[in-house]
Amino acid sequence: MEMSATEKLEAIKELVEFMVGKNIARNREQLFEALAKRENLESTGIGDGIAIPHARTDSVDDLVLVFARSSTGIDFSSIDGKPSHIIFLIASPENKKSEYIIALAKLSRLLRKLPVREQLKNASNPQEVLNIIKNNEE
Amino acid sequence: METKEFTPLEFPRILLYIVDNTDQAIFTPAIQFCKLFKSQLFVLFVLEEHRISKLASITHENIESIKKRIEEEGWEMLYLVEDEAVESGVRTSLHMENGQVPRVVKKYLENYKINLMLVRKREETKKIFVSANVPVIGL
C-alpha cells in the first residue's frame, strides 16, 4: 500500500485501519495501543529509509506482515535521522513470541542489504514483494 | 559536625554489548538496572569479520552462510532484549554494526554519549573493561 501519513503515529493509524479493513486484525484500539506503546519507547526506524513497527497483540490470530511504501517519507525518528520510505509492520499473537522474534530478525537482516531495499522500492505488486523476500532469504 | 551533600548516581544512557545467545542470561538484570536508574538502553551487536573467518576455517562452512546465521542470531538477541524492555517500560535503541568490537564500542560510547556500559563477564569482553572510557559493569 502507498501511505499518505508523514508522521509515525499517524502512519501506524493508517496501517491499523488497513489491517482492520482487510479483516487481518480485529480490535483497532488494542492493535494501535500495542504498536504505539513500542514507538513511544523506541524508534522502529532502523535507518536506511526502513521502519519496522511491530508488536505482540491478541488482536491478530496469526503472524502478520504488512508491507507499505511512502514516496514522501515518514518520520519514524530513525537512528540515522532519515525518513522511512519502506515500512514493514509485523504483528503476532502474544503466544507466538518465537516466530515473531525470528520474523523480525530475518527481515531486519534482509533489509540491511541495499539491493533488497532497491528491489522493494520498485516492486509493482504484492507477489513481487513476496518473491523478493523469498529469493533473498534463500 | 560536617555534612556532605548526597548526589544520586545518574546514568541516562546505558550501553549493553552482546556477543552471542549465551548473553541472554544478563538481559533481565540489565533491563532492571535501566529501570532502576530510568536509563535508556542502547543494545549493540557487532558482526566481526575476523570472528566469522575464524569460524569458517574451523567448521569449513561457507562464510556467507555463517555471516547470515550470526547476523540473524544477533537480530534475534536484539529483539529479545527489546521485547523484555518494552514490557518493563524501558526505552531502547537497537544497533547492529559491522567492524571490530573495540572500535565500534568506542564509536558508540562517543556518538551516543553513553554513561555506563554493561557486558557479560567473559574472556572476549576483558579488552572492553580496559579500553572503555566510561564505567563498565560485568554482569
Side-chain angles (χ1 to χ4, degrees):
Chain A
M1 66 181 278
E2 174 64 32
M3 302 195 66
S4 58
T6 55
E7 184 270 326
K8 64 179 178 179
L9 290 180
E10 195 189 323
I12 284 169
K13 211 169 195 174
E14 196 176 336
L15 287 161
V16 167
E17 285 305 324
F18 172 81
M19 290 168 74
V20 172
K22 295 274 179 190
N23 290 322
I24 300 168
R26 274 186 306 272
N27 187 328
R28 59 164 61 79
E29 287 79 20
Q30 193 185 5
L31 179 58
F32 178 79
E33 264 175 40
L35 290 160
K37 179 186 174 188
R38 201 163 291 256
E39 286 302 329
N40 289 329
L41 286 171
E42 60 157 334
S43 165
T44 60
I46 62 169
D48 296 319
I50 309 289
I52 313 179
H54 54 278
R56 280 193 293 132
T57 164
D58 286 331
S59 56
V60 293
D61 290 327
D62 215 333
L63 186 71
V64 171
L65 181 68
V66 177
F67 172 68
R69 281 185 302 212
S70 164
S71 44
T72 49
I74 299 166
D75 180 8
F76 264 90
S77 316
S78 290
I79 50 176
D80 60 4
K82 294 178 185 166
S84 301
H85 296 277
I86 294 174
I87 299 101
F88 274 100
L89 184 149
I90 296 183
S92 98
E94 292 282 358
N95 63 0
K96 294 206 170 169
K97 182 175 171 178
S98 175
E99 290 98 318
Y100 164 76
I101 296 288
I102 290 169
L104 281 165
K106 284 187 181 294
L107 198 59
S108 300
R109 185 187 68 80
L110 274 184
L111 293 171
R112 288 221 311 157
K113 296 179 179 177
L114 178 64
V116 176
R117 297 198 297 270
E118 289 302 320
Q119 288 171 38
L120 287 169
K121 272 182 195 167
N122 298 321
S124 53
N125 58 62
Q127 190 56 48
E128 208 176 318
V129 172
L130 285 175
N131 289 342
I132 292 164
I133 295 172
K134 202 179 159 195
N135 295 340
N136 285 284
E137 176 47 30
E138 283 162 0
Chain B
M1 198 174 93
E2 190 188 345
T3 55
K4 282 184 181 173
E5 199 173 317
F6 172 69
T7 312
L9 288 171
E10 281 184 6
F11 304 108
R13 289 162 167 245
I14 292 178
L15 179 69
L16 171 66
Y17 165 59
I18 51 179
V19 179
D20 59 35
N21 58 13
T22 61
D23 288 347
Q24 280 188 57
I26 64 164
F27 290 176
T28 303
I31 291 163
Q32 290 313 311
F33 194 93
C34 290
K35 195 174 178 180
L36 184 69
F37 285 96
K38 297 181 175 64
S39 317
Q40 180 175 9
L41 179 61
F42 289 75
V43 196
L44 173 66
F45 184 91
V46 183
L47 263 177
E48 279 186 293
E49 294 293 339
H50 86 266
R51 185 178 159 213
I52 293 164
S53 310
K54 204 169 152 187
L55 264 174
S57 67
I58 296 167
T59 60
H60 302 293
E61 203 182 332
N62 177 285
I63 284 193
E64 281 310 306
S65 56
I66 293 177
K67 206 172 172 180
K68 179 185 169 191
R69 195 184 66 235
I70 292 181
E71 187 175 349
E72 275 185 17
E73 272 178 18
W75 279 114
E76 283 177 26
M77 293 305 107
L78 293 175
Y79 282 114
L80 278 170
V81 178
E82 181 227 62
D83 198 65
E84 192 176 332
V86 168
E87 291 298 314
S88 301
V90 170
R91 290 174 62 215
T92 57
S93 183
L94 309 182
H95 301 265
M96 168 74 67
E97 281 280 336
N98 293 64
Q100 292 178 315
V101 173
R103 279 190 199 168
V104 177
V105 167
K106 190 172 181 283
K107 186 183 94 178
Y108 268 75
L109 295 179
E110 287 168 6
N111 291 1
Y112 291 95
K113 297 181 173 59
I114 300 294
N115 312 98
L116 178 82
M117 190 169 166
L118 303 173
V119 291
R120 190 163 78 87
K121 272 190 271 184
R122 61 203 296 168
E123 195 58 36
E124 297 96 309
T125 53
K126 271 186 184 169
K127 53 193 171 195
I128 290 170
F129 279 89
V130 180
S131 61
N133 57 356
V134 298
V136 181
I137 296 180
L139 297 170

